[in-house]
Amino acid sequence: MFPTYDLDDPIIDGTLTDGEPRLSVYLPPRTMVVLGRGSKVDQEVDLAACEELGVPVLRRRGGGCAVLLDPGNVIVSLTLSVQGIGRNREHFDRISAWLMDALARLGLPGLTQRGISDICVGQRKVGGSCIQRQRGLLYYSTTLLVTPDIPLMARTLRHPPREPGYRAGRGHEAFVERLDYQGGAVTLRSDLERTLDLTAL
């Protein structure tokens, strides 16, 4: 019913072909709602608002609830050759620590991981992640909220049917936060591309 979010297909296909790790850091080319693999659309998305506002709805490979992506986000996606399909929490912890270390070196210290895989400033979310496993592949993607359109998030996304305990029922405006990075999303994308090192994972 919904088109597939395919912006990470080149790194997924590449690692499936040769087993080599790959990294992609980019800004979404346009604003869109992206469903998780098992998202319940009627519970997570206001489809009427999306249609009215011209916001397309796609479905990604990874899990989790629906998210709003816009050009104020920085997407960090990677693929690794990993045998088996278990230990996802361990992989989340390892990759989140690797990413938060890079962000600290870029002048964004004090980030923590909360819930399963959220990246936070205090009790507010600045990044959300998902993992997908297949045929010896681990695909990870996180969305860093640098200058997100939070009012649009509140219009297009319903309150999620499941949430981490630390969210405590807060709406989108009270739950998410912007990463304060000089130069905004464009500069952070460039700096992360330069700083992240897959060999450190």
Side-chain angles (χ1 to χ4, degrees):
M1 176 179 178
F2 298 101
T4 300
Y5 180 86
D6 61 3
L7 296 179
D8 291 326
D9 282 5
I11 64 170
I12 293 169
D13 294 341
T15 299
L16 284 172
T17 298
D18 61 20
E20 293 298 317
R22 284 173 170 79
L23 172 69
S24 183
V25 184
Y26 59 94
L27 308 184
R30 65 166 298 178
T31 298
M32 64 189 91
V33 166
V34 181
L35 305 166
R37 185 175 62 250
S39 284
K40 295 177 172 57
V41 182
D42 57 336
Q43 296 181 28
E44 299 180 27
V45 180
D46 187 330
L47 289 175
C50 290
E51 183 175 1
E52 176 187 348
L53 296 165
V55 177
V57 180
L58 295 85
R59 191 179 291 275
R60 65 180 178 268
R61 295 171 181 254
C65 290
V67 297
L68 178 76
L69 302 185
D70 66 57
N73 304 151
V74 175
I75 311 298
V76 178
S77 297
L78 61 88
T79 49
L80 302 171
S81 182
V82 176
Q83 296 307 308
I85 58 172
R87 300 163 52 206
N88 280 349
R89 183 57 186 262
E90 178 183 325
H91 293 303
F92 268 132
D93 292 348
R94 176 169 59 107
I95 298 170
S96 293
W98 169 81
L99 178 57
M100 290 187 293
D101 177 69
L103 290 167
R105 285 184 277 126
L106 292 173
L108 293 169
L111 300 176
T112 57
Q113 180 177 313
R114 296 188 183 277
I116 295 174
S117 60
D118 290 347
I119 295 174
C120 298
V121 172
Q123 294 290 323
R124 299 187 70 153
K125 178 178 177 178
V126 295
S129 309
C130 67
I131 274 180
Q132 192 239 353
R133 307 292 296 278
Q134 60 168 309
R135 291 167 45 197
L137 175 96
L138 183 149
Y139 161 62
Y140 166 96
S141 186
T142 192
T143 303
L144 298 174
L145 306 176
V146 186
T147 54
D149 189 336
I150 298 175
L152 184 60
M153 188 183 301
R155 287 195 65 184
T156 56
L157 302 180
R158 302 188 190 281
H159 195 91
R162 57 187 185 279
E163 63 179 37
Y166 82 97
R167 180 165 183 162
R170 288 176 288 167
H172 299 296
E173 300 96 327
F175 176 56
V176 302
E177 184 60 276
R178 295 173 172 87
L179 274 173
D180 183 17
Y181 197 75
Q182 187 172 6
V186 171
T187 302
L188 182 58
R189 183 210 64 78
S190 177
D191 290 347
L192 278 172
E193 199 169 46
R194 171 177 50 82
T195 303
L196 290 170
D197 177 9
L198 280 178
T199 65
L201 273 175

